[in-house]
Amino acid sequence: MGANNGKQYGSEGKGSSSISSDVSSSTDHTPTQAQKNVATSEDSDLSMRTLSTPSPALICPPNLPGFQNGRGSSTSSSSITGETVAMVHAPPPTRLAHPLIRLASRPQKEQASIERLPDHAMVQIFSFLPTNQLCRCARVCRRWYNLAWDPRLWRTIRLTGETINVDRALKVLTRRLCQDTPNVCLMLETVSVGGCRRLTDRGLYTIAQCCPELRRLEASGCYNISNEAVFDVVSLCPNLEHLDVSGCSKVTCISLTREASIKLSPLHGKQISIRYLDMTDCFVLEDEGLHTIAAHCTQLTHLYLRRCVRLTDEGLRYLMIYCTSIKELSVSDCRFVSDFGLREIAKLESRLRYLSIAHCGRVTDVGIRYVAKYCSKLRYLNARGCEGITDHGVEYLAKNCAKLKSLDIGKCPLVSDTGLECLALNCFNLKRLSLKSCESITGQGLQIVAANCFDLQMLNVQDCEVSVEALRFVKRHCKRCVIEHTNPAFF
């Protein structure tokens, strides 16, 4: 627009000078007084028109409505005359200094445009977009289409939403990604469809057929998928390391298909390379299913079996036979797990760093002693709701697991200040401590903890009979500690 205006203004200026030269050459007579008055009135009239009806081209940026291709629309044709007049009769300097007028005089090359960014910069920007937004960008123009489908952007597919037709979306996406490498998506490593309740076995079969390099699959809450689809994925994706099927109530086992057990045995010896497995809320998982999982997934390091209510100590025995590298294990709310199960878990020895046995009501000090004796490098223990744990169990734990950083013994009514004192004098690196609903805890025990565990960052004493003075003592000694409490007098 600036170039067009400049051309227009230049032509007006040239016309004005030619008119004045013709007038001077045609006559040498001095203008009469009447002619001066007429010229003066015309000048003042033009100046008034310039000030009262400024040109839209000087006020509105070229990208505003009413301007197309740098020219005014038909509705502003009367303003073009004012624009010409504005150039012949320049307004006072104060008027030209208006910021809106200066904006129109800037060269167009100074205006930033995303189209000027190089391809590598655009790809870097697209890499921060989720899958659905990336697909929208592919519909803007041909250049964006080609950039949005750059294979480097498709290492991850992340779909969310309960109403999305995930099966169809996965089919369309994999078909497009397979254009350069027929029938396979070699770049795709992660598929996250957690919470997509319309996902069925058909969608997982699409992934299994087209994504041989898949390393991570997150399908939590997809309760329509079954064992057969999971078997297809783990059989056809030999590099799969991370599998989350939490909340998939139909999944009862993780294993290879019968065909894969025969064909792929030379490739990975009937073993599955999964290291991270989350089967939380897989209610129908039983000991026999866990036995099959352990026999095929011997490389497991992280296993979460929360609320798998049918599991017993026998299932844990199978697990410890095959999976000896487990670092994190959760059997929370598995009500049939007892001290015998903890004796099996203790066979992991120093490899175990994280253990959750919350609400395993059959666990007592005996099981805690097994774990404390052999798992000396334990960092995290959640024993909330294990009402059979007493001060003796806490004392044995504190003396043998000195590097403990997080401990939850909430709702253990038999734990008192005596147990806290042993904990404070041995576990100096403690950062998180939960004592929620521990009826025998008092302010004296908290003060001992605060005086020795300076790095404490979280303390939960909800529903405990603790005085305000004790809470203030904790706050003074543990500056960074966040205290969760139910005492309205402390704030």
Side-chain angles (χ1 to χ4, degrees):
M1 184 189 70
N4 293 337
N5 289 341
K7 182 177 180 180
Q8 186 178 6
Y9 296 163
S11 62
E12 292 296 334
K14 183 177 180 181
S16 177
S17 60
S18 61
I19 292 175
S20 59
S21 61
D22 292 342
V23 173
S24 61
S25 60
S26 62
T27 178
D28 293 331
H29 297 290
T30 304
T32 63
Q33 187 64 30
Q35 291 174 337
K36 291 181 180 179
N37 294 336
V38 171
T40 303
S41 63
E42 290 178 353
D43 293 347
S44 62
D45 181 51
L46 292 175
S47 300
M48 289 180 62
R49 288 171 55 193
T50 302
L51 297 177
S52 60
T53 57
S55 170
L58 297 178
I59 295 179
C60 300
N63 57 349
L64 290 181
F67 280 80
Q68 300 175 354
N69 299 329
R71 297 184 179 180
S73 63
S74 59
T75 57
S76 59
S77 58
S78 61
S79 304
I80 301 178
T81 305
E83 182 179 351
T84 304
V85 173
M87 288 303 301
V88 177
H89 300 275
T94 56
R95 296 290 179 179
L96 282 176
H98 195 281
L100 294 178
I101 297 179
R102 289 203 310 268
L103 178 63
S105 63
R106 293 178 181 175
Q108 187 175 0
K109 64 181 181 180
E110 294 183 3
Q111 298 174 1
S113 174
I114 194 171
E115 291 297 333
R116 297 177 183 175
L117 294 177
D119 289 350
H120 68 87
M122 293 290 293
V123 170
Q124 181 66 21
I125 294 174
F126 286 167
S127 67
F128 295 98
L129 299 179
T131 301
N132 59 336
Q133 296 295 337
L134 196 57
C135 292
R136 291 180 181 179
C137 289
R139 302 172 63 183
V140 173
C141 62
R142 183 170 296 277
R143 182 190 177 216
W144 282 34
Y145 177 87
N146 294 328
L147 293 176
W149 288 107
D150 189 303
R152 292 171 293 180
L153 298 176
W154 292 94
R155 290 188 174 93
T156 299
I157 290 179
R158 194 175 303 276
L159 300 173
T160 58
E162 297 182 359
T163 59
I164 183 174
N165 189 342
V166 188
D167 294 345
R168 177 173 175 79
L170 290 174
K171 184 176 181 180
V172 172
L173 289 173
T174 52
R175 181 185 300 172
R176 176 60 182 82
L177 294 174
C178 290
Q179 286 187 359
D180 297 331
T181 53
N183 300 325
V184 291
C185 306
L186 295 178
M187 298 295 293
L188 189 59
E189 296 181 352
T190 301
V191 174
S192 177
V193 289
C196 298
R197 299 186 176 181
R198 296 183 63 183
L199 177 70
T200 65
D201 290 351
R202 185 179 301 177
L204 285 190
Y205 184 74
T206 300
I207 296 173
Q209 290 290 322
C210 300
C211 309
E213 298 298 324
L214 190 69
R215 295 181 179 275
R216 185 185 184 103
L217 175 61
E218 300 174 0
S220 59
C222 302
Y223 51 77
N224 288 320
I225 62 177
S226 64
N227 285 342
E228 288 72 18
V230 177
F231 290 179
D232 286 332
V233 172
V234 299
S235 299
L236 298 178
C237 304
N239 297 323
L240 187 66
E241 297 180 348
H242 182 113
L243 178 61
D244 183 355
V245 289
S246 57
C248 302
S249 55
K250 294 182 180 180
V251 177
T252 62
C253 186
I254 306 293
S255 177
L256 295 172
T257 60
R258 181 175 302 177
E259 295 79 6
S261 298
I262 299 174
K263 295 179 181 180
L264 300 181
S265 56
L267 181 61
H268 48 56
K270 297 185 180 180
Q271 300 301 315
I272 301 173
S273 58
I274 293 178
R275 299 178 182 273
Y276 179 105
L277 178 60
D278 191 345
M279 297 190 68
T280 298
D281 293 322
C282 292
F283 307 114
V284 293
L285 177 64
E286 297 181 349
D287 291 340
E288 191 60 34
L290 185 57
H291 185 186
T292 304
I293 293 173
H296 287 85
C297 306
T298 58
Q299 302 180 42
L300 278 175
T301 58
H302 297 70
L303 179 60
Y304 304 95
L305 304 170
R306 306 180 187 95
R307 291 179 292 279
C308 295
V309 294
R310 298 187 182 184
L311 293 180
T312 68
D313 298 332
E314 186 68 12
L316 294 180
R317 187 179 70 85
Y318 292 141
L319 185 64
M320 296 307 128
I321 293 175
Y322 299 99
C323 303
T324 59
S325 302
I326 293 180
K327 297 179 180 178
E328 296 191 8
L329 176 63
S330 175
V331 289
S332 298
D333 296 284
C334 297
R335 58 178 180 267
F336 295 119
V337 173
S338 67
D339 294 333
F340 294 103
L342 291 192
R343 184 180 64 180
E344 297 297 327
I345 293 175
K347 295 178 181 179
L348 294 172
E349 298 180 344
S350 60
R351 293 179 292 275
L352 187 65
R353 304 299 177 90
Y354 172 107
L355 177 62
S356 179
I357 52 174
H359 303 289
C360 294
R362 300 188 180 188
V363 171
T364 66
D365 290 341
V366 176
I368 295 297
R369 289 185 63 141
Y370 277 121
V371 173
K373 181 178 180 180
Y374 295 101
C375 305
S376 58
K377 293 186 178 180
L378 193 66
R379 299 290 188 273
Y380 175 100
L381 177 62
N382 183 358
R384 173 177 294 193
C386 298
E387 298 182 356
I389 297 178
T390 69
D391 290 333
H392 297 291
V394 175
E395 179 181 358
Y396 206 86
L397 180 69
K399 291 181 178 179
N400 290 273
C401 300
K403 295 183 179 180
L404 199 65
K405 292 185 177 181
S406 178
L407 178 63
D408 189 342
I409 48 176
K411 298 184 180 180
C412 295
L414 300 180
V415 176
S416 66
D417 294 341
T418 304
L420 287 188
E421 183 177 357
C422 295
L423 188 68
L425 297 178
N426 292 276
C427 300
F428 303 108
N429 296 322
L430 198 64
K431 297 182 181 297
R432 302 174 65 88
L433 178 62
S434 178
L435 305 170
K436 182 178 181 180
S437 301
C438 288
E439 303 170 356
S440 303
I441 296 296
T442 67
Q444 182 179 358
L446 291 186
Q447 291 179 0
I448 296 175
V449 171
N452 292 273
C453 302
F454 302 107
D455 293 332
L456 197 64
Q457 298 177 3
M458 193 283 293
L459 176 63
N460 188 341
V461 289
Q462 293 178 345
D463 301 320
C464 295
E465 296 295 332
V466 180
S467 64
V468 176
E469 290 74 17
L471 295 177
R472 290 174 180 171
F473 184 91
V474 174
K475 198 62 180 177
R476 283 197 305 269
H477 286 76
C478 303
K479 303 294 184 182
R480 297 182 297 173
C481 183
V482 176
I483 304 176
E484 299 180 9
H485 62 92
T486 51
N487 191 331
F490 177 75
F491 53 89

